[in-house]
Amino acid sequence: MNIELQCCALFILFTISVMFLREKKLDLMNRRLFFRAICACFACLIFDILSIILINLSVYRDFPQSVTSIVCKIYIMLLVIQGYFGYVYASTSLLPLDKSWAKNLKFACHLIFGIGELLMLVLPIGFTADGRIVYSFGPSTTVAYLLSAIFILMTILTSIAYRKQMPGRRFVAMILWQGIWLLAAAIQFMIPSLLLVGFASAFGMVILYIQLENPSEYFDGSTGLFTTNALSAYVHDKYKFGKQFSMFTAKIHFLIDYVDYNMEHDAVIRTARALVALGSEPAFRIDDDTFCVVYDDKDRMFERAAEIKRQKDNVKDIPAKGTYLLIPDSLQMSGPDEFFRFLHTYLDSEQEILVADETMVGELREQTMTKELIEDALANDRVEVFYQPFYNVGTSRFNVAEALVRIRLENGEIVPPGKFIPVAEESGQIIPLGTRVFEKVCEFIAKGEALKAGLEQIEINVSAAQFNYENPEKFVMENIKKYAIDPGMINLEITETAAAQNREIMLSNMSRLIENGVTFSLDDFGTGRSNIDYFVNMPVKTIKFDHSFTRGFFDNEKLRYVMTGMIDIFHMLNMSIVAEGIETEEQMNVMKSMGVEYIQGYYYSKPVPEEEFLRFLRNGNK
Ligand code: C2E
Ligand code: CA
Ligand code: CA
């Protein structure tokens, strides 16, 4: 009898089913749909074999024809179910389930499927056998072929339409799977004695299993836990299908500088074991030393997190502490992207226990919006530089100014740097942003208008990151050359915090720029840690007294003595002084009498755009 191929197919399917069911599994929608497709394939093959046997019995012996007809019908109905499940498996992860057209499409497929099955049930079916040629025919069978073709076609079309949204491997697997089916059907049509279709569908399942449903990147070899990739798939799945979850992460922080490999390995393995022993929920290793477990229920999550912390606190032989980030409700975040951004942002927190709340999510959103604002400003040339003049006490002229960055919104509104510089420093955007500011200042100087109006130097703020990240000579000197300006026109303002972070690099970078004629100021003097070492050994020409420091002069007697003394010291060191934040005539007069060289503040001018600044200079330096 012509059932050899089908038997082989059954054997293949049985093997992958056993493998599939035995392996550690993550409850993903795709996996469930895949398993459903395998079951349909199984049932289909069994009825395929059964129908061939019964057709032979009915044709060559006198087995009741009605029973054979029923079995043939079940077979073709299962064939369509298989095609339909295949399509659902292929499309569910791709179609946007919340869109109405996707919902309509889903409904239409259900309908076609339902009507098709009904038609197959009621329409007549015939069968015939002639040696190895065995088949059923009639209206019922025609409907089955038609529907199978529709679902195959839809699977292929969906795969093609969403090609860009899926990994290349998935696309190839989908096309191969459906292509093999089509090819088998075509061959079987031309050579009716070659019953290939059943075998082809089992073979397709093997392709899907190997390529898609057995991803080795989901398993961490050394701990047996799931990986970050698995977590990503899992979390996307949960959000997509509206399943709320809770989660805790546990991170190992070693308390010693040198951790040898065995100790680290031991800590990791023990953590992994403890997490697995917590219960049946999936545990992931999401970084070398970071783990997480996902729960359906937040009470259970809290309870299990407390248990793991208790166990950790009992470990005395590993010099490490644990930090825990608890996310009680996945709906606190708007979706997988925000969820992972949240993890990324808060996983490094040094706090022992951090429970996600609205404030944290709010801050994250604000930070994300600010990052987008900066990115957008850089891309659409909405980074602007304002200038604030310094009054030179000795010459009674405005010959120096500070460049201060702004972002102009589309509606013309101005965003001050306090709103975005800290985020830019954190995200690394300060590098392109700082370079842009520098370029704009050079461009402004190169126009020559400011020089004509009496300006001699512009001070530009630089963040620590700008000086430690890459060779700062590059963006400074490149632009100075590009715009052919005098390097002496440029003064860079650095802060004590910047200088403290990476002193060696900072100093060597500074000295190279100084050789090229650029000068430096120490900004924000009087805030933070005012270490004498900084201004004694730092090659700065100017000290800028911070607002708080100059303000303090007026209401704190002790500070008045400190300031008077500091001014003398700086003058002895041949440095000049800028007093920042001078807003009133009284403040201005006091600063003048104290002997500071420059006065900066709203008393003279706020930071203003280029044109306004030029007008101010032309007036002030008449
Ligand atoms: P900063 O370097 O201390 O700059 C002086 C700040 O004091 C400016 O604020 C300025 O507008 C403000 N100011 C000046 N005179 C007065 C006054 O009389 N009264 C008061 N209340 N404020 C006065 P702004 O422009 O908002 O800048 C804030 C900070 O942002 C700057 O503080 C600086 O640290 C940073 N920043 C600005 N532009 C840049 C830049 O291009 N790069 C970097 N890395 N940081 C920048
Ligand atoms: Ca400054
Ligand atoms: Ca300052």
Side-chain angles (χ1 to χ4, degrees), residues 146-180:
L146 201 71
L147 278 169
S148 297
I150 289 178
F151 289 128
I152 290 178
L153 207 67
M154 283 178 68
T155 306
I156 293 178
L157 288 180
T158 312
S159 302
I160 292 174
Y162 284 92
R163 196 188 165 149
K164 291 210 172 66
Q165 268 126 289
M166 55 178 153
R169 198 175 64 173
R170 190 182 169 91
F171 179 71
V172 172
M174 289 290 163
I175 297 295
L176 260 178
W177 168 41
Q178 298 295 312
I180 285 173

mmCIF file of all heavy atoms in Angstrom, residues 146-180:
data_model
loop_
_atom_site.group_PDB
_atom_site.id
_atom_site.type_symbol
_atom_site.label_atom_id
_atom_site.label_comp_id
_atom_site.label_asym_id
_atom_site.label_seq_id
_atom_site.Cartn_x
_atom_site.Cartn_y
_atom_site.Cartn_z
ATOM 1 N N LEU A 146 -8.830 24.252 -2.506
ATOM 2 C CA LEU A 146 -8.958 25.700 -2.655
ATOM 3 C C LEU A 146 -8.545 26.412 -1.362
ATOM 4 O O LEU A 146 -7.736 27.347 -1.361
ATOM 5 C CB LEU A 146 -10.426 26.018 -2.985
ATOM 6 C CG LEU A 146 -10.643 27.365 -3.639
ATOM 7 C CD1 LEU A 146 -10.107 27.316 -5.055
ATOM 8 C CD2 LEU A 146 -12.127 27.711 -3.635
ATOM 9 N N LEU A 147 -9.086 25.917 -0.245
ATOM 10 C CA LEU A 147 -8.789 26.563 1.037
ATOM 11 C C LEU A 147 -7.316 26.405 1.420
ATOM 12 O O LEU A 147 -6.688 27.342 1.906
ATOM 13 C CB LEU A 147 -9.673 25.975 2.139
ATOM 14 C CG LEU A 147 -11.066 26.582 2.176
ATOM 15 C CD1 LEU A 147 -11.964 25.789 3.088
ATOM 16 C CD2 LEU A 147 -11.011 28.020 2.649
ATOM 17 N N SER A 148 -6.781 25.209 1.166
ATOM 18 C CA SER A 148 -5.361 25.007 1.476
ATOM 19 C C SER A 148 -4.535 26.014 0.702
ATOM 20 O O SER A 148 -3.623 26.645 1.240
ATOM 21 C CB SER A 148 -4.914 23.603 1.095
ATOM 22 O OG SER A 148 -5.630 22.681 1.861
ATOM 23 N N ALA A 149 -4.887 26.173 -0.576
ATOM 24 C CA ALA A 149 -4.141 27.111 -1.417
ATOM 25 C C ALA A 149 -4.255 28.527 -0.851
ATOM 26 O O ALA A 149 -3.272 29.269 -0.786
ATOM 27 C CB ALA A 149 -4.651 27.055 -2.846
ATOM 28 N N ILE A 150 -5.458 28.908 -0.405
ATOM 29 C CA ILE A 150 -5.654 30.258 0.150
ATOM 30 C C ILE A 150 -4.749 30.470 1.364
ATOM 31 O O ILE A 150 -4.041 31.475 1.474
ATOM 32 C CB ILE A 150 -7.135 30.478 0.553
ATOM 33 C CG1 ILE A 150 -7.995 30.582 -0.705
ATOM 34 C CG2 ILE A 150 -7.293 31.736 1.408
ATOM 35 C CD1 ILE A 150 -9.481 30.758 -0.419
ATOM 36 N N PHE A 151 -4.756 29.494 2.265
ATOM 37 C CA PHE A 151 -3.961 29.689 3.486
ATOM 38 C C PHE A 151 -2.452 29.678 3.216
ATOM 39 O O PHE A 151 -1.701 30.428 3.829
ATOM 40 C CB PHE A 151 -4.348 28.665 4.558
ATOM 41 C CG PHE A 151 -5.713 28.937 5.140
ATOM 42 C CD1 PHE A 151 -6.685 27.956 5.210
ATOM 43 C CD2 PHE A 151 -6.037 30.215 5.597
ATOM 44 C CE1 PHE A 151 -7.944 28.219 5.730
ATOM 45 C CE2 PHE A 151 -7.297 30.494 6.118
ATOM 46 C CZ PHE A 151 -8.251 29.492 6.179
ATOM 47 N N ILE A 152 -2.045 28.851 2.271
ATOM 48 C CA ILE A 152 -0.611 28.846 1.920
ATOM 49 C C ILE A 152 -0.231 30.207 1.345
ATOM 50 O O ILE A 152 0.758 30.826 1.727
ATOM 51 C CB ILE A 152 -0.297 27.725 0.896
ATOM 52 C CG1 ILE A 152 -0.416 26.363 1.573
ATOM 53 C CG2 ILE A 152 1.102 27.915 0.315
ATOM 54 C CD1 ILE A 152 -0.181 25.185 0.653
ATOM 55 N N LEU A 153 -1.096 30.665 0.450
ATOM 56 C CA LEU A 153 -0.836 31.954 -0.199
ATOM 57 C C LEU A 153 -0.790 33.086 0.842
ATOM 58 O O LEU A 153 0.086 33.957 0.803
ATOM 59 C CB LEU A 153 -1.956 32.218 -1.211
ATOM 60 C CG LEU A 153 -1.535 33.104 -2.367
ATOM 61 C CD1 LEU A 153 -0.525 32.371 -3.225
ATOM 62 C CD2 LEU A 153 -2.751 33.493 -3.197
ATOM 63 N N MET A 154 -1.739 33.049 1.781
ATOM 64 C CA MET A 154 -1.770 34.105 2.801
ATOM 65 C C MET A 154 -0.532 34.066 3.687
ATOM 66 O O MET A 154 0.005 35.099 4.077
ATOM 67 C CB MET A 154 -3.034 33.980 3.651
ATOM 68 C CG MET A 154 -4.239 34.518 2.889
ATOM 69 S SD MET A 154 -5.749 34.342 3.799
ATOM 70 C CE MET A 154 -5.512 35.464 5.134
ATOM 71 N N THR A 155 -0.088 32.868 3.993
ATOM 72 C CA THR A 155 1.121 32.745 4.808
ATOM 73 C C THR A 155 2.311 33.358 4.068
ATOM 74 O O THR A 155 3.087 34.137 4.635
ATOM 75 C CB THR A 155 1.406 31.258 5.128
ATOM 76 O OG1 THR A 155 0.241 30.709 5.703
ATOM 77 C CG2 THR A 155 2.571 31.113 6.074
ATOM 78 N N ILE A 156 2.411 33.006 2.785
ATOM 79 C CA ILE A 156 3.540 33.530 2.003
ATOM 80 C C ILE A 156 3.447 35.053 1.898
ATOM 81 O O ILE A 156 4.426 35.774 2.120
ATOM 82 C CB ILE A 156 3.578 32.883 0.595
ATOM 83 C CG1 ILE A 156 3.912 31.390 0.747
ATOM 84 C CG2 ILE A 156 4.603 33.568 -0.296
ATOM 85 C CD1 ILE A 156 3.926 30.609 -0.551
ATOM 86 N N LEU A 157 2.241 35.553 1.600
ATOM 87 C CA LEU A 157 2.080 37.006 1.436
ATOM 88 C C LEU A 157 2.377 37.758 2.739
ATOM 89 O O LEU A 157 3.043 38.800 2.731
ATOM 90 C CB LEU A 157 0.662 37.333 0.961
ATOM 91 C CG LEU A 157 0.373 36.953 -0.493
ATOM 92 C CD1 LEU A 157 -1.058 37.327 -0.863
ATOM 93 C CD2 LEU A 157 1.356 37.653 -1.435
ATOM 94 N N THR A 158 1.885 37.214 3.864
ATOM 95 C CA THR A 158 2.148 37.875 5.144
ATOM 96 C C THR A 158 3.654 37.910 5.416
ATOM 97 O O THR A 158 4.198 38.926 5.852
ATOM 98 C CB THR A 158 1.437 37.121 6.297
ATOM 99 O OG1 THR A 158 0.097 36.876 5.915
ATOM 100 C CG2 THR A 158 1.467 37.914 7.579
ATOM 101 N N SER A 159 4.312 36.782 5.144
ATOM 102 C CA SER A 159 5.758 36.737 5.377
ATOM 103 C C SER A 159 6.462 37.794 4.536
ATOM 104 O O SER A 159 7.363 38.481 5.009
ATOM 105 C CB SER A 159 6.329 35.360 5.032
ATOM 106 O OG SER A 159 5.687 34.381 5.798
ATOM 107 N N ILE A 160 6.028 37.906 3.280
ATOM 108 C CA ILE A 160 6.690 38.880 2.401
ATOM 109 C C ILE A 160 6.408 40.305 2.885
ATOM 110 O O ILE A 160 7.303 41.138 2.978
ATOM 111 C CB ILE A 160 6.242 38.687 0.936
ATOM 112 C CG1 ILE A 160 6.794 37.353 0.422
ATOM 113 C CG2 ILE A 160 6.742 39.828 0.051
ATOM 114 C CD1 ILE A 160 6.312 36.952 -0.955
ATOM 115 N N ALA A 161 5.138 40.564 3.246
ATOM 116 C CA ALA A 161 4.765 41.917 3.664
ATOM 117 C C ALA A 161 5.523 42.346 4.922
ATOM 118 O O ALA A 161 5.868 43.513 5.073
ATOM 119 C CB ALA A 161 3.267 41.990 3.904
ATOM 120 N N TYR A 162 5.762 41.412 5.830
ATOM 121 C CA TYR A 162 6.423 41.768 7.094
ATOM 122 C C TYR A 162 7.889 41.356 7.107
ATOM 123 O O TYR A 162 8.497 41.215 8.155
ATOM 124 C CB TYR A 162 5.677 41.142 8.273
ATOM 125 C CG TYR A 162 4.407 41.894 8.563
ATOM 126 C CD1 TYR A 162 3.213 41.516 7.987
ATOM 127 C CD2 TYR A 162 4.434 43.013 9.387
ATOM 128 C CE1 TYR A 162 2.051 42.218 8.219
ATOM 129 C CE2 TYR A 162 3.283 43.728 9.628
ATOM 130 C CZ TYR A 162 2.091 43.327 9.046
ATOM 131 O OH TYR A 162 0.957 44.038 9.292
ATOM 132 N N ARG A 163 8.409 41.166 5.935
ATOM 133 C CA ARG A 163 9.772 40.698 5.790
ATOM 134 C C ARG A 163 10.750 41.506 6.634
ATOM 135 O O ARG A 163 11.644 40.971 7.288
ATOM 136 C CB ARG A 163 10.128 40.838 4.317
ATOM 137 C CG ARG A 163 11.323 40.058 3.983
ATOM 138 C CD ARG A 163 11.801 40.339 2.605
ATOM 139 N NE ARG A 163 13.134 39.780 2.598
ATOM 140 C CZ ARG A 163 13.706 39.271 1.568
ATOM 141 N NH1 ARG A 163 13.096 39.260 0.435
ATOM 142 N NH2 ARG A 163 14.913 38.765 1.656
ATOM 143 N N LYS A 164 10.585 42.820 6.604
ATOM 144 C CA LYS A 164 11.552 43.698 7.282
ATOM 145 C C LYS A 164 11.441 43.593 8.797
ATOM 146 O O LYS A 164 12.370 43.922 9.507
ATOM 147 C CB LYS A 164 11.317 45.137 6.856
ATOM 148 C CG LYS A 164 11.688 45.357 5.411
ATOM 149 C CD LYS A 164 12.162 46.785 5.164
ATOM 150 C CE LYS A 164 12.707 46.936 3.766
ATOM 151 N NZ LYS A 164 11.661 46.760 2.730
ATOM 152 N N GLN A 165 10.259 43.181 9.280
ATOM 153 C CA GLN A 165 10.086 43.131 10.733
ATOM 154 C C GLN A 165 10.553 41.834 11.361
ATOM 155 O O GLN A 165 10.455 41.676 12.553
ATOM 156 C CB GLN A 165 8.619 43.348 11.097
ATOM 157 C CG GLN A 165 8.325 44.798 11.344
ATOM 158 C CD GLN A 165 7.182 45.250 10.501
ATOM 159 O OE1 GLN A 165 7.324 45.382 9.281
ATOM 160 N NE2 GLN A 165 6.046 45.467 11.099
ATOM 161 N N MET A 166 10.963 40.884 10.519
ATOM 162 C CA MET A 166 11.386 39.632 11.153
ATOM 163 C C MET A 166 12.817 39.305 10.783
ATOM 164 O O MET A 166 13.334 39.772 9.775
ATOM 165 C CB MET A 166 10.438 38.496 10.785
ATOM 166 C CG MET A 166 10.245 38.275 9.313
ATOM 167 S SD MET A 166 9.134 36.863 9.088
ATOM 168 C CE MET A 166 8.408 37.233 7.546
ATOM 169 N N PRO A 167 13.457 38.497 11.635
ATOM 170 C CA PRO A 167 14.828 38.121 11.326
ATOM 171 C C PRO A 167 14.863 37.354 10.008
ATOM 172 O O PRO A 167 13.913 36.637 9.689
ATOM 173 C CB PRO A 167 15.219 37.194 12.479
ATOM 174 C CG PRO A 167 14.144 37.262 13.483
ATOM 175 C CD PRO A 167 12.940 37.882 12.859
ATOM 176 N N GLY A 168 15.946 37.517 9.262
ATOM 177 C CA GLY A 168 16.080 36.869 7.961
ATOM 178 C C GLY A 168 15.835 35.375 8.058
ATOM 179 O O GLY A 168 15.207 34.763 7.181
ATOM 180 N N ARG A 169 16.290 34.792 9.165
ATOM 181 C CA ARG A 169 16.169 33.359 9.338
ATOM 182 C C ARG A 169 14.695 32.927 9.356
ATOM 183 O O ARG A 169 14.314 31.914 8.810
ATOM 184 C CB ARG A 169 16.820 33.004 10.671
ATOM 185 C CG ARG A 169 17.142 31.570 10.799
ATOM 186 C CD ARG A 169 17.875 31.337 12.075
ATOM 187 N NE ARG A 169 17.037 31.658 13.215
ATOM 188 C CZ ARG A 169 17.387 31.417 14.466
ATOM 189 N NH1 ARG A 169 18.547 30.882 14.722
ATOM 190 N NH2 ARG A 169 16.599 31.727 15.460
ATOM 191 N N ARG A 170 13.892 33.754 9.976
ATOM 192 C CA ARG A 170 12.472 33.424 10.081
ATOM 193 C C ARG A 170 11.811 33.478 8.702
ATOM 194 O O ARG A 170 11.029 32.606 8.346
ATOM 195 C CB ARG A 170 11.791 34.419 11.021
ATOM 196 C CG ARG A 170 10.398 34.021 11.369
ATOM 197 C CD ARG A 170 9.688 35.011 12.254
ATOM 198 N NE ARG A 170 8.293 34.622 12.282
ATOM 199 C CZ ARG A 170 7.770 33.801 13.171
ATOM 200 N NH1 ARG A 170 8.517 33.315 14.132
ATOM 201 N NH2 ARG A 170 6.509 33.456 13.115
ATOM 202 N N PHE A 171 12.191 34.487 7.946
ATOM 203 C CA PHE A 171 11.615 34.647 6.616
ATOM 204 C C PHE A 171 11.944 33.433 5.756
ATOM 205 O O PHE A 171 11.075 32.849 5.115
ATOM 206 C CB PHE A 171 12.153 35.934 5.985
ATOM 207 C CG PHE A 171 11.637 36.182 4.603
ATOM 208 C CD1 PHE A 171 10.315 36.551 4.413
ATOM 209 C CD2 PHE A 171 12.460 36.020 3.504
ATOM 210 C CE1 PHE A 171 9.820 36.763 3.130
ATOM 211 C CE2 PHE A 171 11.973 36.230 2.229
ATOM 212 C CZ PHE A 171 10.654 36.605 2.038
ATOM 213 N N VAL A 172 13.222 33.050 5.776
ATOM 214 C CA VAL A 172 13.653 31.913 4.955
ATOM 215 C C VAL A 172 12.889 30.660 5.378
ATOM 216 O O VAL A 172 12.381 29.903 4.538
ATOM 217 C CB VAL A 172 15.184 31.701 5.104
ATOM 218 C CG1 VAL A 172 15.620 30.415 4.432
ATOM 219 C CG2 VAL A 172 15.933 32.892 4.522
ATOM 220 N N ALA A 173 12.750 30.458 6.706
ATOM 221 C CA ALA A 173 12.065 29.267 7.201
ATOM 222 C C ALA A 173 10.615 29.235 6.724
ATOM 223 O O ALA A 173 10.104 28.206 6.275
ATOM 224 C CB ALA A 173 12.131 29.230 8.723
ATOM 225 N N MET A 174 9.950 30.387 6.789
ATOM 226 C CA MET A 174 8.545 30.474 6.386
ATOM 227 C C MET A 174 8.372 30.124 4.911
ATOM 228 O O MET A 174 7.494 29.350 4.525
ATOM 229 C CB MET A 174 8.021 31.900 6.588
ATOM 230 C CG MET A 174 7.853 32.297 8.015
ATOM 231 S SD MET A 174 6.488 31.394 8.716
ATOM 232 C CE MET A 174 6.811 31.643 10.411
ATOM 233 N N ILE A 175 9.225 30.740 4.098
ATOM 234 C CA ILE A 175 9.095 30.546 2.654
ATOM 235 C C ILE A 175 9.427 29.095 2.278
ATOM 236 O O ILE A 175 8.741 28.469 1.464
ATOM 237 C CB ILE A 175 10.002 31.553 1.887
ATOM 238 C CG1 ILE A 175 9.555 32.992 2.173
ATOM 239 C CG2 ILE A 175 10.015 31.274 0.393
ATOM 240 C CD1 ILE A 175 8.161 33.349 1.671
ATOM 241 N N LEU A 176 10.465 28.548 2.922
ATOM 242 C CA LEU A 176 10.842 27.161 2.650
ATOM 243 C C LEU A 176 9.696 26.216 2.998
ATOM 244 O O LEU A 176 9.322 25.339 2.220
ATOM 245 C CB LEU A 176 12.046 26.791 3.517
ATOM 246 C CG LEU A 176 13.421 26.828 2.857
ATOM 247 C CD1 LEU A 176 14.489 26.483 3.872
ATOM 248 C CD2 LEU A 176 13.476 25.847 1.694
ATOM 249 N N TRP A 177 9.157 26.459 4.186
ATOM 250 C CA TRP A 177 8.071 25.606 4.712
ATOM 251 C C TRP A 177 6.893 25.573 3.734
ATOM 252 O O TRP A 177 6.435 24.519 3.301
ATOM 253 C CB TRP A 177 7.677 26.166 6.076
ATOM 254 C CG TRP A 177 6.413 25.655 6.689
ATOM 255 C CD1 TRP A 177 5.963 24.377 6.701
ATOM 256 C CD2 TRP A 177 5.448 26.431 7.412
ATOM 257 N NE1 TRP A 177 4.780 24.292 7.387
ATOM 258 C CE2 TRP A 177 4.438 25.542 7.843
ATOM 259 C CE3 TRP A 177 5.344 27.766 7.757
ATOM 260 C CZ2 TRP A 177 3.337 25.962 8.576
ATOM 261 C CZ3 TRP A 177 4.252 28.182 8.502
ATOM 262 C CH2 TRP A 177 3.264 27.287 8.897
ATOM 263 N N GLN A 178 6.411 26.741 3.351
ATOM 264 C CA GLN A 178 5.260 26.810 2.460
ATOM 265 C C GLN A 178 5.627 26.391 1.039
ATOM 266 O O GLN A 178 4.825 25.771 0.344
ATOM 267 C CB GLN A 178 4.679 28.226 2.466
ATOM 268 C CG GLN A 178 4.157 28.671 3.821
ATOM 269 C CD GLN A 178 2.966 27.837 4.285
ATOM 270 O OE1 GLN A 178 2.034 27.603 3.546
ATOM 271 N NE2 GLN A 178 3.019 27.368 5.512
ATOM 272 N N GLY A 179 6.869 26.724 0.635
ATOM 273 C CA GLY A 179 7.335 26.379 -0.711
ATOM 274 C C GLY A 179 7.368 24.863 -0.884
ATOM 275 O O GLY A 179 6.937 24.328 -1.922
ATOM 276 N N ILE A 180 7.869 24.173 0.132
ATOM 277 C CA ILE A 180 7.961 22.714 0.062
ATOM 278 C C ILE A 180 6.566 22.097 -0.071
ATOM 279 O O ILE A 180 6.335 21.182 -0.855
ATOM 280 C CB ILE A 180 8.703 22.170 1.306
ATOM 281 C CG1 ILE A 180 10.193 22.461 1.158
ATOM 282 C CG2 ILE A 180 8.472 20.671 1.486
ATOM 283 C CD1 ILE A 180 11.008 22.134 2.377
#
